[in-house]
Amino acid sequence: MAFLKQFWALVRQLSGDDAYERYVRHHACCHPGEAPMDRKTFVKQEQERKWHGVKRCC
Amino acid sequence: MMNNWRQSLLWLAVAITGAAAAGGIALNRGESINALWFIVAAVCTYLIGYRFYSAWIAAKVLMVDATRATPAERLQDGRDYMPTNRWVVFGHHFAAIAGPGPLIGPTLAAQFGYLPGTLWILIGSVLAGCVQDMVILFCSIRRNGRSLGQMARDELGPIGGFAALLATFLIMIILIAVLGLVVVNAMKHSPWATSTVAATIPIAIFIGLYMRYLRPGHVLEASLLGVVLLLGSVAAGGWIDQQAALREWFNHPGVPLAFAVIGYGLLAAILPVWLLLAPRDYLSTYMKLGTVVLLALAIIILQPDVKMPALTKFIDGTGPIFAGSLFPFVFITIACGAISGFHSLISSGTTPKLLENERDIRMIGYGGMALESFVAVMALLAACVLDPGVYFAINSPAGIVGADPATAVATITSWGFPVTVEQMNSLASAMGEATLFARTGGAPSLAVGMASIFASAFGEHLLAMWYHFAIMFEAVFILTTLDAGTRVGRFMLQDMLGNFIPKLGQTSWYPSVVLTSCIVVAGWGYFLYIGVIDPNGGVNILWPLFGISNQLLAAIALTVATSIIIKSGRWRYVWVTAAPLLWLLILTSTAVYQKLTSADPRVGFFAAANDLQAKLDAGLLSSEKAAVAPQLIFNQQLDAYLAMLFVVLLYLVVADMLRLTYRHWRGLAVLPSTEAPYQASQLVK
């Protein structure tokens, strides 16, 4: 069961499914006091950023 | 002590098994050989290369330091720079480097027989491709995740930097054109394939809207939904194919399809990323990973026999799929499956900003490329398990074997690869296609190979479904590369133009976005169009040009890596990158020399232009061919100058490195190494 949980966490991280949760965690630890972005704004920014550079090969 | 013994014995066993499998493949003559041997030889080769060579490079040449903080740790910002689990980084890195190249290159190179391709994929990846990816990843990590272009500028100087940037841009143009050609050839007069590929666009847009507005950021459920819809579109395509009225909507020759792809490319470059590019990228990644795993499983379960001979007579350069002799063209054609310059852009892009520890460089850089090369081996197998006659009938252009089926089979049979019209017809109808003759570009033949492997392993009656699934899978991720590439090309162009007109350099200024997108799309659109109207099938021109440019980018990356090793003072290990560099220099120079000077019109660009001009002047061409002849002549000349420019750029960069080497050797001043200073990692326990 623990293994399945770990595997699922890996899949979520691989696909970026938990990106917002990770961002909130990072925000809580490294920028306390500031309000984090809401989910929608975060996803928007994240997509712009992720597809800006070379992301795919031949 | 006991443990050491066991380990040594285990690795000895791996080495012997690999050598036996490789030897069996190489020495086998006349009898058919099981595909499993290729898998065994490949896996053992990668294991040995990874365990010994990459460990040695990490320890001695790069002096990887596990206690040193990586940029992900030092510059952590929760987004670009982020220490990440190494399996997650591996997944991202592999998904980024795995493109259509290693599927198509080996398929085309199978015209020489199975042996040259297999040997180069294995040797090239272990000694050159994996090394390049790993060393560039290391260099970038030590430089805060700088890109290859920036490193070239910082370490070599402005000339090297500019040449690298320009070369990358031109390669991008050729790459997209050839990929576009592959998709167009797969869709030509195939309503099933065309409707399925067309359906992927609204599906991607729907998923984009879903991820943005309905359930923001829920990537997994959106992707799952998308994959289900894509599979549905394959089935729906089959239904459309049966409807006499509907199928005509999707039944088109090459030229209109080429314009559709060009229009699509422009749209994808101008539309916001979240609407088309991002969701398509997710879908293509899952399709790709799923299909690769499925193919590996199917080959292991089914263990098909390889029917292609070890070597064919086409090693003399008369091959129907592309012209040119074994050396250098098997290397140029395989390109990405053994060493791909493009990977250096990924290794110096997102990946270095994610690594938690320098120790992981080996696994991500070397291991990632080893897996990519394994995909190339499987693509080669998928081509070689076909009857050679069928393989050549699918891949040979009508201009070589004749447009009429009877002539085509007669020509191919006369080469010693028996095939009949009935065989091709029944195969085509089993695959749900009107014809499989002259479906050049590699995608249809790969799809036939994959479909027959899948069908034998997982269900024979679904052959047509598997075929169109394979076509859809190839098209989805070719189109992803196409729109992502157009976008990257646009950024590069904006970056270059920004030096002259600052306003054009603003990536968010809409007029500049539209202008530069149009320029990039017009660039690859031109080559795509010419490729489609070329009666010899544009693959013969475009794929070698793409291979040359890709290998040339790899040479530039290795030049940068070599200069960095020289600056580190570890002279005696310079050969680790200098030897593959020298090999690529010989390879690309020979290929370009032959492309410029060969008297064979199928090899030499100028020879082709002159040959066509002579025929046109003598009035030997049909009115249809005469109409496009001037364009084709101009294009052959343009290709020749382009190839020359490629080589000039490469030699500029190499000369810059030699200048640096000389100065460093004589103790003269060189640009200082831009390696970031040591900082102890807090993450290591």
Side-chain angles (χ1 to χ4, degrees), chain A residues 14 17 39 47 49 52 56, chain B residues 80 92 219 274 281 491:
Chain A
L14 255 173
D17 203 52
R39 199 179 180 104
Q47 279 185 332
R49 181 188 66 82
H52 198 81
R56 285 293 170 255
Chain B
D80 284 320
H92 283 180
V219 174
W274 61 267
D281 201 31
F491 289 140

Side-chain angles (χ1 to χ4, degrees), chain B residues 405-660:
Chain B
T407 331
V409 293
T411 318
I412 293 164
T413 306
S414 77
W415 291 332
F417 304 112
V419 60
T420 61
V421 177
E422 295 74 48
Q423 193 184 354
M424 287 303 291
N425 284 347
S426 71
L427 186 68
S429 78
M431 299 290 169
E433 288 287 292
T435 175
L436 285 171
F437 279 107
R439 303 299 295 265
T440 59
S445 116
L446 179 64
V448 171
M450 276 167 57
S452 23
I453 293 175
F454 283 151
S456 328
F458 307 117
E460 195 74 56
H461 55 291
L462 290 172
L463 207 55
M465 279 298 177
W466 282 118
Y467 173 82
H468 288 94
F469 168 79
I471 290 283
M472 182 272 290
F473 143 78
E474 291 171 85
V476 160
F477 86 104
I478 285 180
L479 289 179
T480 308
T481 307
L482 186 138
D483 44 29
T486 305
R487 218 177 168 81
V488 170
R490 186 193 102 200
F491 289 140
M492 284 180 191
L493 188 61
Q494 284 190 304
D495 196 32
M496 282 190 269
L497 292 177
N499 291 327
F500 308 105
I501 309 163
K503 189 93 183 143
L504 284 179
Q506 293 175 9
T507 49
S508 55
W509 191 49
Y510 210 66
S512 165
V513 169
V514 175
L515 176 73
T516 48
S517 298
C518 285
I519 297 176
V520 173
V521 173
W524 61 256
Y526 165 78
F527 287 102
L528 170 59
Y529 173 73
I530 297 289
V532 171
I533 62 169
D534 191 332
N536 286 336
V539 173
N540 183 47
I541 295 181
L542 279 177
W543 192 266
L545 206 54
F546 158 70
I548 289 171
S549 57
N550 181 315
Q551 299 300 288
L552 194 129
L553 186 56
I556 292 180
L558 285 169
T559 310
V560 173
T562 306
S563 344
I564 289 175
I565 294 179
I566 286 173
K567 281 191 196 175
S568 76
R570 291 189 277 278
W571 284 92
R572 61 195 170 127
Y573 300 133
V574 154
W575 58 267
V576 169
T577 52
L581 169 61
L582 186 65
W583 170 246
L584 288 183
L585 279 177
I586 296 171
L587 205 63
T588 44
S589 308
T590 317
V592 170
Y593 179 76
Q594 291 190 5
K595 279 288 175 194
L596 293 177
T597 60
S598 169
D600 177 354
R602 290 186 60 228
V603 179
F605 288 131
F606 287 123
N610 296 341
D611 178 65
L612 203 55
Q613 188 68 55
K615 280 185 186 151
L616 185 64
D617 293 342
L620 292 172
L621 298 177
S622 65
S623 63
E624 205 178 308
K625 281 187 180 166
V628 294
Q631 270 171 299
L632 294 178
I633 292 168
F634 169 76
N635 183 58
Q636 295 278 6
Q637 286 163 341
L638 179 70
D639 290 342
Y641 291 114
L642 200 60
M644 263 189 250
L645 177 64
F646 282 155
V647 174
V648 168
L649 288 175
L650 175 60
Y651 277 91
L652 265 180
V653 182
V654 172
D656 222 11
M657 180 200 74
L658 291 177
R659 181 188 57 88
L660 179 139

Side-chain angles (χ1 to χ4, degrees), chain B residues 199-562:
Chain B
T200 63
I201 299 170
I203 291 175
I205 292 182
F206 169 69
I207 298 302
L209 291 168
Y210 185 94
M211 280 201 274
R212 183 125 171 141
Y213 295 111
L214 293 176
R215 301 264 293 154
H218 291 275
V219 174
L220 273 179
E221 59 176 58
S223 308
L224 190 68
L225 185 64
V227 169
V228 171
L229 287 174
L230 283 182
L231 296 180
S233 77
V234 176
W239 178 79
I240 287 177
D241 195 34
Q242 301 297 318
Q243 314 301 314
L246 270 179
R247 80 189 297 278
E248 284 319 300
W249 281 64
F250 296 101
N251 187 7
H252 299 291
V255 175
L257 286 173
F259 280 105
V261 169
I262 291 169
Y264 165 77
L266 186 61
L267 211 63
I270 298 175
L271 286 178
V273 270
W274 61 267
L275 188 58
L276 191 52
L277 193 60
R280 183 188 269 294
D281 201 31
Y282 277 114
L283 296 180
S284 85
T285 307
Y286 294 115
M287 296 306 294
K288 177 164 57 188
L289 295 177
T291 309
V292 165
V293 171
L294 207 60
L295 186 60
L297 282 179
I299 290 179
I300 291 167
I301 295 172
L302 186 69
Q303 307 178 2
D305 273 339
V306 165
K307 294 184 189 136
M308 185 68 75
L311 289 171
T312 66
K313 64 182 193 124
F314 301 126
I315 53 176
D316 64 358
T318 57
I321 300 171
F322 59 91
S325 48
L326 187 65
F327 178 84
F329 287 101
V330 71
F331 307 99
I332 296 289
T333 308
I334 297 240
C336 319
I339 172 166
S340 170
F342 242 78
H343 294 185
S344 61
L345 303 183
I346 306 287
S347 292
S348 64
T350 14
T351 309
K353 297 170 186 157
L354 297 174
L355 251 67
E356 218 163 24
N357 192 302
E358 286 195 358
R359 256 189 321 230
D360 303 339
I361 288 175
R362 240 181 102 199
M363 171 181 152
I364 315 290
Y366 201 95
M369 177 60 202
L371 190 57
E372 164 94 328
S373 155
F374 184 63
V375 173
V377 171
M378 289 198 294
L380 187 76
L381 286 177
C384 292
V385 298
L386 294 176
D387 269 325
V390 170
Y391 166 83
F392 283 107
I394 299 175
N395 284 304
S396 304
I400 303 292
V401 290
D404 155 55
T407 331
V409 293
T411 318
I412 293 164
T413 306
S414 77
W415 291 332
F417 304 112
V419 60
T420 61
V421 177
E422 295 74 48
Q423 193 184 354
M424 287 303 291
N425 284 347
S426 71
L427 186 68
S429 78
M431 299 290 169
E433 288 287 292
T435 175
L436 285 171
F437 279 107
R439 303 299 295 265
T440 59
S445 116
L446 179 64
V448 171
M450 276 167 57
S452 23
I453 293 175
F454 283 151
S456 328
F458 307 117
E460 195 74 56
H461 55 291
L462 290 172
L463 207 55
M465 279 298 177
W466 282 118
Y467 173 82
H468 288 94
F469 168 79
I471 290 283
M472 182 272 290
F473 143 78
E474 291 171 85
V476 160
F477 86 104
I478 285 180
L479 289 179
T480 308
T481 307
L482 186 138
D483 44 29
T486 305
R487 218 177 168 81
V488 170
R490 186 193 102 200
F491 289 140
M492 284 180 191
L493 188 61
Q494 284 190 304
D495 196 32
M496 282 190 269
L497 292 177
N499 291 327
F500 308 105
I501 309 163
K503 189 93 183 143
L504 284 179
Q506 293 175 9
T507 49
S508 55
W509 191 49
Y510 210 66
S512 165
V513 169
V514 175
L515 176 73
T516 48
S517 298
C518 285
I519 297 176
V520 173
V521 173
W524 61 256
Y526 165 78
F527 287 102
L528 170 59
Y529 173 73
I530 297 289
V532 171
I533 62 169
D534 191 332
N536 286 336
V539 173
N540 183 47
I541 295 181
L542 279 177
W543 192 266
L545 206 54
F546 158 70
I548 289 171
S549 57
N550 181 315
Q551 299 300 288
L552 194 129
L553 186 56
I556 292 180
L558 285 169
T559 310
V560 173
T562 306

Side-chain angles (χ1 to χ4, degrees), chain A residues 8 10-17 26 37 39-40 42-58, chain B residues 77 79-80 84 88 91-92 95-97 99 101 175 212 216-220 273-274 281-282 285-286 343 481 488 491 550:
Chain A
W8 179 239
L10 192 74
V11 169
R12 289 198 64 205
Q13 204 187 344
L14 255 173
S15 61
D17 203 52
H26 167 82
M37 282 183 270
R39 199 179 180 104
K40 223 170 178 167
F42 171 78
V43 170
K44 263 185 197 174
Q45 282 201 7
E46 192 64 5
Q47 279 185 332
E48 280 303 323
R49 181 188 66 82
K50 264 175 108 173
W51 275 272
H52 198 81
V54 185
K55 210 177 170 290
R56 285 293 170 255
C57 258
C58 38
Chain B
D77 60 2
R79 344 197 66 197
D80 284 320
T84 309
V88 173
H92 283 180
I97 62 171
L175 163 74
R212 183 125 171 141
H218 291 275
V219 174
L220 273 179
V273 270
W274 61 267
D281 201 31
Y282 277 114
T285 307
Y286 294 115
H343 294 185
T481 307
V488 170
F491 289 140
N550 181 315

